[in-house]
Amino acid sequence: MTDAFNVMEVASSGAGVLVAEMARTSWQSARDAMARFFGQGGEESVSAELQVLDLRHARLVESPEHQRAAVSEELRTQVAIQLAAFLMKHPEAAAVLQALVTERTSEESGSAPQVTATGNTNSQVVVSNGSIGSVSYNSPGVAR
């Protein structure tokens, strides 16, 4: 888990889950889990890392509804950088973060997004940091 690609992959997954949790009422339980994660680096790093997450959480929940998606995307990047930097110093913590991601995504597995694409030609569906529960394509016939 120590090469840069794996660190960024785990950090990105963690950031996606964490920012999603910031917008939910379950933020406190996610924050508690992150305290355990940051505890892998020693107790001195926990409060500083959590303070940064708390500021980001406040920014998200205090943002106007029409800006929330943009703020979430910006925070995902910032949190991914924070997690990657921590994992570079403490690669042994990657398993803890991955377990958190797995736990949080399995809780939501019953609500996987559904995608329907109608009348699309020369299109593709890209899924990032997750999976799609079902996909249906309705493509018009190709004129000859």
Side-chain angles (χ1 to χ4, degrees):
M1 261 312 155
T2 58
D3 65 19
F5 176 77
N6 287 336
V7 167
M8 286 310 297
E9 185 177 328
V10 173
S12 294
S13 296
V17 167
L18 196 54
V19 172
E21 291 291 326
M22 285 180 180
R24 296 188 180 113
T25 57
S26 58
W27 165 242
Q28 187 59 49
S29 69
R31 186 186 186 281
D32 293 344
M34 291 309 296
R36 289 188 298 278
F37 167 72
F38 289 127
Q40 299 289 309
E43 291 303 314
E44 67 280 349
S45 67
V46 175
S47 61
E49 296 285 357
L50 287 177
Q51 184 177 14
V52 173
L53 286 182
D54 287 339
L55 290 171
R56 290 178 173 145
H57 172 252
R59 181 166 173 232
L60 179 65
V61 297
E62 293 170 4
S63 66
E65 188 65 37
H66 69 278
Q67 294 178 352
R68 189 118 343 131
V71 171
S72 289
E73 188 60 36
E74 184 179 332
L75 290 177
R76 269 195 234 36
T77 300
Q78 293 172 359
V79 171
I81 292 168
Q82 179 183 2
L83 296 177
F86 185 84
L87 288 170
M88 294 296 276
K89 291 186 273 184
H90 308 285
E92 68 283 359
V96 175
L97 183 58
Q98 188 59 51
L100 174 66
V101 169
T102 301
E103 173 190 322
R104 298 293 170 159
T105 55
S106 67
E107 289 175 3
E108 299 172 3
S109 64
S111 61
Q114 310 297 309
V115 174
T116 301
T118 304
N120 294 331
T121 57
N122 297 323
S123 298
Q124 58 182 313
V125 175
V126 178
V127 179
S128 176
N129 287 333
S131 62
I132 295 177
S134 72
V135 178
S136 65
Y137 294 99
N138 300 314
S139 181
V142 178
R144 300 206 183 234

